[in-house]
Amino acid sequence: AQKVTQAQTEISVVEKEDVTLDCVYETRDTTYYLFWYKQPPSGELVFLIRRNSFDEQNEISGRYSWNFQKSTSSFNFTITASQVVDSAVYFCALSEVAAGGSYIPTFGRGTSLIVHP
Amino acid sequence: NAGVTQTPKFQVLKTGQSMTLQCAQDMNHNSMYWYRQDPGMGLRLIYYSASEGTTDKGEVPNGYNVSRLNKREFSLRLESAAPSQTSVYFCASAPVEIFSNQPQHFGDGTRLSIL
């Protein structure tokens, strides 16, 4: 079984603050993939990043950075100098190999980030 | 823009009515998926199709049927709608036969209310 836990239901920050969204996962597989998606108030789902289980390098993309630590089964997402436009629900997802060889994704319940001006 | 197109965007049904949600992608993706999103629950997989001609159940398949009409189209049918099926439904596609390490591309969602 696989499980993704986003313990923070809602986070509220003031613009320009840094904020970290936590994601903890459970899996028995050695090969798996982790993702982050953003869902702004308009409702669409926007892909942010993919990471496979063999690549623990942290990644930075502009104000966004991701910290993947297999030792703690975590894939945390940090926004530096947050902006109002970052207000959204953020989903962490895990994909591992299911019976029959296909990959089935599981999403966390999401963290709602509210950035106040 | 190319991508995943869902129709309709909004729908209100009465309990017991049936309807089909349509999804089409023009990215030549092999895999397609249907999710439902409920408040505080994240996205839960209803059905998926790893490739044309195949469909499999996801986490919450009860009350739904799917058809992979061709490579482009994957429809979701509610035979007898129930209030518990009130939700936002998302269709997604991915460019490989299995989900693998490719991101899914999502449609804009269908808001379905069952009265």
Side-chain angles (χ1 to χ4, degrees):
Chain A
Q2 59 181 352
K3 183 178 177 183
V4 177
T5 301
Q6 295 181 256
Q8 304 149 309
T9 304
E10 183 176 297
I11 300 175
S12 183
V13 299
V14 177
E15 208 169 19
K16 297 185 182 178
E17 285 186 26
D18 299 346
V19 58
T20 295
L21 283 61
D22 298 332
C23 174
V24 175
Y25 62 92
E26 297 177 25
T27 179
R28 297 176 181 174
D29 280 12
T30 56
T31 301
Y32 53 89
Y33 299 88
L34 295 162
F35 302 78
W36 276 95
Y37 286 85
K38 174 182 180 180
Q39 187 176 41
S42 51
E44 72 272 21
L45 285 149
V46 180
F47 165 77
L48 296 178
I49 191 172
R50 171 192 71 240
R51 178 64 79 228
N52 72 60
S53 53
F54 300 107
D55 181 3
E56 287 193 73
Q57 270 194 323
N58 292 331
E59 181 157 338
I60 299 174
S61 176
R63 296 184 296 106
Y64 295 172
S65 62
W66 290 269
N67 183 7
F68 176 29
Q69 293 195 337
K70 290 178 71 172
S71 60
T72 56
S73 297
S74 64
F75 187 43
N76 297 336
F77 173 32
T78 297
I79 302 175
T80 303
S82 60
Q83 299 177 0
V84 173
V85 294
D86 296 327
S87 295
V89 179
Y90 292 86
F91 292 99
C92 180
L94 165 70
S95 183
E96 62 180 6
V97 180
S102 58
Y103 282 73
I104 306 298
T106 297
F107 284 76
R109 296 190 174 192
T111 296
S112 177
L113 174 64
I114 303 169
V115 182
H116 300 279
Chain B
N1 288 341
V4 180
T5 302
Q6 291 183 235
T7 56
K9 294 190 184 304
F10 303 93
Q11 186 70 48
V12 178
L13 294 176
K14 294 181 179 179
T15 297
Q17 286 185 317
S18 61
M19 82 160 295
T20 299
L21 279 61
Q22 306 287 352
C23 176
Q25 53 92 7
D26 57 7
M27 295 173 284
N28 201 36
H29 288 171
N30 286 321
S31 298
M32 297 187 73
Y33 308 78
W34 276 105
Y35 293 89
R36 60 179 289 172
Q37 183 179 20
D38 303 295
M41 296 298 291
L43 278 79
R44 292 182 294 171
L45 184 66
I46 305 171
Y47 272 93
Y48 70 100
S49 172
S51 61
E52 186 178 356
T54 68
T55 61
D56 286 284
K57 295 178 180 179
E59 180 184 355
V60 288
N62 291 345
Y64 305 96
N65 286 301
V66 291
S67 296
R68 183 75 182 267
L69 304 171
N70 47 55
K71 191 171 185 178
R72 291 186 64 248
E73 298 172 289
F74 189 37
S75 63
L76 178 71
R77 182 160 178 85
L78 287 71
E79 290 291 351
S80 179
S84 61
Q85 294 177 303
T86 294
S87 188
V88 180
Y89 291 85
F90 285 96
C91 178
S93 70
V96 293
E97 182 173 354
I98 57 178
F99 186 82
S100 186
N101 63 345
Q102 300 296 321
Q104 290 173 312
H105 297 257
F106 285 86
D108 289 339
T110 295
R111 292 186 180 276
L112 182 61
S113 294
I114 317 265
L115 305 177

